[in-house]
Amino acid sequence: MSLPREMSCLLKDSETEGYQLVKKPVPSPGPGDVVIRVDRVALCGSDINLWKWNETARVIATLPFIPGHEATGEVVLLGDGVTDLRIGQRVAVENHFYCGLCYLCKENRGDICMKMDQYGHGRGTDQGGCSQYSRVPARNCYGLTTNLTANQAVLLEPMGVAHNAVESIDVKGENVLVLGCGPVGLFAIAIAKALGAREVFAVDIDPGRLELAKIMGATDTINGLKEDIGERVMGHTDGNGIGRIVEASGAASLLNRSFSWLRKGGQIGLIGLPKEPLHVENVLTDVIFKSLTLKTVHGRRIFHTWKECEKLIADGLVKVDPVISHEMKMTQYEHAFQDLIGGKACKIILDPQN
């Protein structure tokens, strides 16, 4: 396959706000790598940190790098030793670049590798999805098995985070409370319904997000600014408390209160990223004596989560389109980040080829 010598990509190479749109040579694959032609890259709320280059960015990223950790594309070059993928195959990128050698990798937990590098963050690779072509280890490429659209395929990554959490707390036949209706929270609503939850209640402070929650399958919504969440939860559950909670807001104050809303024997899955300390006021009555189960997740189970999410979309059990607020050319990246930072977007998808 004949490829151009140069490509367009976004680049951060200094400790300043924003990115540059630059030309770079099309990468070549090393042993065990492939090069993909990137069809779509999606922006994540965490990308705001990298754009601003704040304290969080300094912890999670290393300069220089091409941003974009949610990417899908087509394999165009194979490195030496790659036998599991083929030219022309459509793939989505698992951005947790696991070492394969540490204790957790040997336990088949590459998702939480102790020496993890990360695509789109400059950790162990300068590559990212905000580029027309990208070099990725073949073992980090999930080969699509159905005819998902490019937009559906690129959302397998964030949807997978929600699936990992929802699956871990066994929602079948249970009432579920989802805290936070950003993209991952919205996916959690749809996934909980698809996995057999009885009723799903959604909490947010943005009326627009609450409307999206209904579209994604929420039985009812609660505006945290206007309503008492605890009263609504107890009213819905005859005073017993909710059986399952998915915390996707990242708001420490909300998480701190959520333990009082769980019933005895309840389970809570944490997805959001609190920036403040957690504090539970009544530890004995709200945690210890309830015999609770708390699960946390970091990314997706490789590749179990990907297979399950692709199946849910292909079977029509989860619709991802309502979550997409913007489809833009990569050359419009400044506008895209302005809308993301300004809270005017849900999920933004960029086309690197334009």
Side-chain angles (χ1 to χ4, degrees):
M1 180 179 291
S2 177
L3 301 182
R5 301 176 69 177
E6 284 191 328
M7 67 176 186
S8 296
C9 66
L10 302 186
L11 179 68
K12 183 180 281 290
D13 60 3
S14 64
E15 295 189 351
T16 55
E17 184 168 309
Y19 298 117
Q20 298 173 298
L21 180 62
V22 302
K23 293 285 188 180
K24 287 178 69 72
V26 170
S28 299
D33 293 337
V34 298
V35 171
I36 65 171
R37 179 186 185 272
V38 183
D39 292 326
R40 296 290 188 276
V41 60
L43 301 185
C44 170
S46 66
D47 286 318
I48 294 173
N49 296 313
L50 303 184
W51 173 272
K52 292 183 174 182
W53 199 248
N54 56 23
E55 289 302 317
T56 299
R58 291 180 173 89
V59 172
I60 65 174
T62 304
L63 297 172
F65 65 92
I66 297 169
H69 60 272
E70 301 174 8
T72 187
E74 177 186 332
V75 176
V76 294
L77 291 174
L78 299 175
D80 290 344
V82 176
T83 58
D84 293 338
L85 298 173
R86 65 182 186 280
I87 299 294
Q89 187 169 2
R90 298 177 64 224
V91 299
V93 178
E94 167 53 64
N95 57 61
H96 284 190
F97 283 14
Y98 56 95
C99 73
L101 300 173
C102 70
Y103 171 81
L104 287 168
C105 283
K106 290 178 179 178
E107 293 291 314
N108 197 31
R109 291 303 307 273
D111 54 311
I112 50 173
C113 170
M114 299 173 71
K115 300 177 181 179
M116 186 191 302
D117 290 327
Q118 194 161 13
Y119 182 75
H121 287 69
R123 293 175 58 182
T125 176
D126 62 356
Q127 300 291 290
C130 291
S131 55
Q132 292 181 309
Y133 294 88
S134 189
R135 181 181 62 248
V136 184
R139 69 183 182 185
N140 285 89
C141 291
Y142 172 67
L144 298 172
T145 61
T146 62
N147 294 321
L148 297 192
T149 67
N151 282 356
Q152 290 171 327
V154 79
L155 294 181
L156 288 173
E157 194 272 1
M159 178 181 165
V161 177
H163 187 280
N164 195 3
V166 172
E167 184 182 52
S168 75
I169 59 173
D170 188 19
V171 298
K172 187 174 182 180
E174 294 283 352
N175 292 332
V176 179
L177 181 68
V178 176
L179 305 177
C181 297
V184 174
L186 293 170
F187 284 134
I189 293 167
I191 291 164
K193 293 292 287 187
L195 296 187
R198 185 165 43 192
E199 294 185 305
V200 179
F201 306 102
V203 176
D204 206 281
I205 59 175
D206 184 321
R209 294 289 177 92
L210 292 174
E211 287 301 314
L212 282 174
K214 292 178 182 177
I215 293 171
M216 295 299 285
T219 309
D220 202 355
T221 60
I222 303 170
N223 188 318
L225 282 181
K226 298 180 179 180
E227 304 174 83
D228 186 303
I229 300 170
E231 285 186 6
R232 288 289 305 278
V233 168
M234 294 305 169
H236 276 301
T237 61
D238 296 325
N240 294 314
I242 200 81
R244 303 289 186 267
I245 293 178
V246 177
E247 205 305 300
S249 73
S253 60
L254 192 61
L255 175 56
N256 291 341
R257 289 182 288 149
S258 68
F259 293 94
S260 67
W261 307 328
L262 274 168
R263 66 162 166 76
K264 288 193 171 185
Q267 299 188 38
I268 182 170
L270 306 188
I271 303 174
L273 305 176
K275 304 297 191 297
E276 300 170 2
L278 303 182
H279 174 77
V280 180
E281 188 69 30
N282 300 305
V283 177
L284 294 183
T285 56
D286 287 344
V287 180
I288 305 299
F289 295 161
K290 284 187 174 180
S291 189
L292 303 178
T293 299
L294 184 150
K295 297 287 186 71
T296 67
V297 300
H298 185 203
R300 300 140 300 279
R301 297 298 294 264
I302 306 169
F303 278 107
H304 164 77
T305 303
W306 294 85
K307 295 175 182 177
E308 294 299 315
C309 287
E310 183 180 15
K311 188 174 188 302
L312 288 175
I313 296 174
D315 290 348
L317 296 176
V318 172
K319 308 287 187 184
V320 302
D321 288 348
V323 176
I324 303 170
S325 60
H326 295 57
E327 295 181 65
M328 307 172 73
K329 301 175 181 178
M330 188 175 73
T331 52
Q332 298 173 291
Y333 72 97
E334 291 178 309
H335 182 194
F337 274 94
Q338 287 171 4
D339 283 353
L340 183 65
I341 293 168
K344 299 177 182 178
C346 190
K347 200 66 180 175
I348 298 176
I349 295 179
L350 301 180
D351 178 355
Q353 303 303 322
N354 291 289

